[in-house]
């Protein structure tokens, strides 16, 4: 099992050094620490295990270290910053592992950018030594790339000439969209195995600054301090410890305090039930006192972990069914706290983390069906899951023999602002691209409990069934869905979920990723004579030179 | 050899009927008229041959029929509008053929939309009978979809449940971006084999109007007339006949009057040399008098045909090298005509056709290198090819033993407006996303002959070499390029060529196409037990249910 939970005491590949408002996040990969057998993580190359630690570090820097305003990304090795994803690992990995590895890597990189955009933390890539492929892709997540001008250190995206794959974890897209490198220069850059250094790296917008070795450390320190000075991170605040998740893994599911995942392997589905909160703190001090136990943060962490678990460890469960149980008014009370105290640094972090978790849901290549039944609590933030689902099915009225009232959905102000999708729009805006008035109409019923008829009229659900039809209709829907080709569903959902505008993020996950996944199927890359398999063997790959 | 040239006297699959300002473009596919053996084009299903005729018809309606203001797309069969791409053809076709077939189909559909947006021709899809898959994708190109309400006629995108592939020739993207169908409804719609009809088709934004059979013909006539009334097509103008291209095919190339394509199979490259014009008509009457012989129109047709020929018939020639020869001032004179008389309907058509040809170049999955040498005429419109190339290499100064002057590049006003890429930006805007001032600087040198140093300073070329280095450098560049994996290059170029904003078009060619190409590699679709192979056999496909 691949576990996405870790903490700094367990890191094998990263070191954190704190100096006042500056953290040094030091990549120092243990060659023997690969997640699987059969490869060595030489030259600061990485696999999913290295990325899991990076993701953890980025999260903890936000939550546990409110004092950190600048993060300096650097290498703990001489001569190499990072050589990118480990090629032997890629050569041996299944298609599904490659795809999910790249997706998680991309998500972590977007999280680094999210910290810079929204949490007052600047990242500076202090590049010393060879910085190639995924290594340069990491560097590009930083708002500033510094390159030591020692005539040995270079930046490079050598994937196409060397490996017959793309700089696919954001590389090509960040080159064009973020760094805005001229396309012919990008073309040259992506064809040069040995990379670019010196003034050309500046002229081509590949790095922001080159620094002579004699002034390297002092300049890095100075840039870190300058970036820290622009931060709005709080003074004197105390971090919130991301305590270990309380999880129980069983053959038929995973259980967390607020999230229960039940596997039905025969039916290829996983029912994810989220429990709403039972009480809320009174104010922002209470939120801080609860810390990682504060329901919105706790549920975000548990949902995040469960989605990642399904992705990597349960590939056959193609249909997560989203359910909830609890008191909708308590969820709305949680949203009220998140709204009222949004200026607080911790509340800000929680909101952005929820946003990232919902994006992770959107980007999960499984069919998502929300079932809204009596006893459920799809209100406010949890209603985002209804809107994230490919379809939402609601039970109209009550159930025979069930004394709970009819199911309802409620929106909160957070549905209108806090959780933009990768496309930059809220899920409501995306849903109602064809009828923008419906967004305004929905705003008019904020905090109203909408029964099935009202939710249907508001366009929030796909279909409602009464108790008589519910079981048969839902069974048929789920059976039908899991009978389809999972590949066609993955591709269809990737297109239908992201209507409207594109952003660098959607272009990474939609266009770049789709092309990389295609390349990851092509014999020229992954065949026995392909570049990924032949890499390091001393034998040149054999290519079919037909263009498609 | 697949030939993209045809004319209405040769059509096997389409009929054109003219009624004043209205043309009826009638799909009536000859089941025995497939491009290859082994399948019958039943139920108005189509293959590339059907699409080649459609593309021809759309072109001729623009150029040869200035009087046509509305085009009614309809079926010549009872009970079926169009059943989409032929599945047996897809099941037998190579990966490369499927990909190129879909690309050309997508381009033709965008051309239909371009006629509506820019040429004053409205398309109305008059859907009677089953309209499924690619059939509905064609219908969606029309600005108005009318559906007969006879309880039998439906619209459907059944690819995912039935065939394990996507509605990939624009279908999913037009559903979300053009029709703006709500995402959960789109999800349902794409899962229903039998399709949608009646009021639900309206409510879900799938069609614009349903019409009872008793009023069908009269309503179609009325809508066609209404649309015609809004057109700015000219009164009393005479069309320009698109006379047959004068082509010579040989083992080592293709020759047209203004375009010469020389194959070097050993080096996997094709050198495309465009000859500039030698004289220009004096005015707009002269342009009309020259008709299809007017150099900009002639060169557009020849380049278009040569690119399509390379795509489908010469897959191993991965590297088209773009050259030109002639007098730059004559090309600028042609541009001056295209600019001065842009209000003329024919000039408008020529400009938009050149725009589409340049887009076709952008979308060609081959590496494009422009070589700018003494004697070349990359000025104005032809300079678009320099900007479309992945790299542009220019010879600086003169050549020993060559009495021609140094090579120059010149821009014309057309480079700043007439030829937007699929992303909606000009090639100059796309090129200079990172340095927008360079666009304005380039505007300042319109019609100046820029030598290599000036072109380099203006950012218009990638690199310049003098005569001493030219041969070796160019040889190394071309050899290096053709040594790379063609798949990695295809994917890399698809990402680097389209920086900046996205449009429905870029989303079709970038995201949707990339996912479809991925699906076209997956055993669940194309394996021996996959859905495309099993379709119609009576045996259910066998799926691997692992999600990637």
């Amino acid at each position: 099992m691949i576990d996405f939970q870790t903490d700094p005491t367990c890191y094998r590949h990263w070191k954190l050094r704190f100096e006042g408002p500056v953290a040094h996040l030091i990549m120092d990969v243990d060659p023997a620490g690969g997640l699987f057998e059969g490869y060595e993580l030489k030259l600061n190359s990485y696999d999913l295990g290295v990325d899991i630690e990076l993701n953890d570090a980025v999260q903890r820097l936000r939550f546990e270290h409110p004092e950190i305003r600048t993060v300096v990304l650097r290498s703990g090795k001489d001569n190499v910053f990072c050589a990118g994803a480990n090629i032997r690992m890629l050569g041996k990995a299944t298609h599904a592992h490659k795809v999910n590895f790249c997706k998680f890597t991309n998500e972590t990189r977007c999280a680094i950018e999210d910290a810079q955009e929204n949490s007052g933390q600047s990242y500076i890539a202090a590049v010393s030594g060879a910085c190639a492929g995924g290594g340069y892709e990491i560097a590009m997540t930083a708002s500033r790339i510094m390159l030591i001008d020692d005539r040995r250190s270079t930046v490079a995206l050598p994937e196409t000439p060397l490996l017959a794959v793309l700089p696919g974890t954001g590389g090509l897209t960040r080159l064009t969209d973020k760094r805005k490198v001229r396309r012919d220069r990008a073309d040259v850059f992506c064809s040069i195995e040995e990379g670019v250094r010196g003034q050309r790296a500046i002229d081509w917008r590949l790095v922001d600054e080159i620094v002579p070795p004699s002034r390297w450390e002092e300049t890095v320190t100075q840039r870190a301090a300058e970036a820290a000075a622009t931060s709005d991170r709080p003074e004197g605040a105390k971090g919130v410890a991301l305590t270990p998740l309380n999880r129980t893994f069983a053959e038929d599911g995973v259980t967390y305090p607020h999230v229960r995942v039940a596997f039905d392997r025969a039916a290829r589905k996983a029912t994810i039930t989220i429990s709403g909160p039972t009480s809320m703190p009174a104010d922002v001090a209470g939120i801080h006192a609860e810390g990682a136990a504060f329901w919105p943060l706790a549920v975000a962490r548990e949902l995040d972990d469960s989605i990642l678990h399904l992705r990597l460890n349960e590939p056959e469960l193609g249909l997560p069914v989203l359910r909830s149980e609890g008191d909708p008014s308590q969820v709305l009370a949680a949203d009220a706290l998140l709204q009222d105290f949004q200026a607080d640094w911790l509340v800000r972090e929680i909101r952005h983390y929820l946003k990232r978790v919902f994006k992770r849901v959107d980007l999960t290549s499984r069919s998502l069906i929300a079932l809204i039944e009596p006893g459920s609590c799809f209100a406010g933030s949890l209603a985002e899951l209804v809107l994230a689902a490919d379809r939402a099915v609601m039970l109209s009225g009550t159930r025979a023999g069930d004394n709970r009232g009819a199911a309802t959905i409620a929106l909160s102000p957070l549905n209108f602002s806090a959780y933009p999708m990768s496309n930059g729009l809220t899920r409501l805006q995306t849903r109602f691209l064809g009828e923008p008035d419906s967004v305004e109409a929905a705003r008019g019923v904020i905090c109203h409990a909408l029964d099935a008829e009202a939710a249907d009229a508001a366009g929030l659900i796909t279909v409602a069934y009464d108790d008589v039809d519910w079981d048969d209709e839902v069974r048929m829907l789920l059976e039908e869905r899991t009978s389809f080709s999972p590949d066609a569903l993955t591709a269809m959902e990737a297109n239908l979920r992201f209507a409207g505008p594109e952003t660098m993020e959607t272009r990474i996950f939609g266009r770049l990723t789709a092309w990389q996944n295609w390349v990851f199927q092509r014999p020229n890359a992954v065949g026995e004579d392909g570049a990924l398999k032949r890499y390091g063997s001393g034998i040149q790959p054999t290519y079919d030179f037909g263009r498609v």
Side-chain angles (χ1 to χ4, degrees), chain A residues 140-195:
Chain A
M140 278 197 285
T141 64
S143 48
R144 183 170 196 88
I145 305 178
M146 304 175 67
L147 177 64
I148 193 168
D149 193 19
D150 61 2
R151 313 192 67 79
R152 295 181 299 116
S153 298
T154 56
V155 296
L157 288 178
E159 283 89 340
T160 295
L162 219 52
L163 304 167
V165 300
L166 299 185
T169 39
L172 291 181
T173 312
R174 285 197 174 83
L175 211 56
T176 56
D177 289 29
K178 185 175 185 176
R179 305 290 313 181
K180 294 189 167 62
V181 176
R182 216 176 73 196
R183 55 167 286 198
D184 55 341
R185 289 173 168 170
D187 185 277
V188 175
F189 177 57
C190 293
S191 308
I192 301 180
E193 289 179 30
E194 66 274 20

Side-chain angles (χ1 to χ4, degrees), chain A residues 406-417:
Chain A
T408 59
I409 294 178
L411 299 174
S412 83
L414 275 69
N415 301 109
F416 295 82
S417 60

Side-chain angles (χ1 to χ4, degrees), chain A residues 409-481:
Chain A
I409 294 178
L411 299 174
S412 83
L414 275 69
N415 301 109
F416 295 82
S417 60
Y419 309 125
M421 301 171 60
S422 298
N423 66 5
L425 302 184
T426 64
R427 283 175 192 77
L428 284 168
Q429 287 172 322
T430 303
R431 184 174 188 84
F432 294 131
L433 278 172
E435 36 176 320
D437 291 350
S438 296
V439 178
E440 286 315 301
R443 208 186 291 275
V445 294
I446 280 179
C447 292
H448 290 214
L450 306 173
D451 65 12
E453 288 62 42
D456 194 25
L460 300 176
I461 59 170
T462 313
V463 65
Y465 298 113
D466 64 18
D467 185 40
V468 174
D469 293 330
W470 177 265
D471 286 350
D472 278 350
E473 292 288 350
V474 169
R475 181 181 50 73
M476 283 192 297
L477 165 61
L478 303 185
E479 283 178 7
E480 181 193 73
R481 192 70 170 195

Side-chain angles (χ1 to χ4, degrees), chain A residues 17-25 61 67-72 74 124 220-221 223-228:
Chain A
R17 198 173 77 225
F18 299 97
E19 291 174 0
V22 177
H24 295 263
L25 179 53
L61 284 166
E67 80 283 5
I68 293 300
R69 298 167 173 226
T70 304
V71 181
V72 180
R74 55 200 313 172
I124 292 176
V220 170
T221 302
R223 295 285 176 263
E226 286 165 3

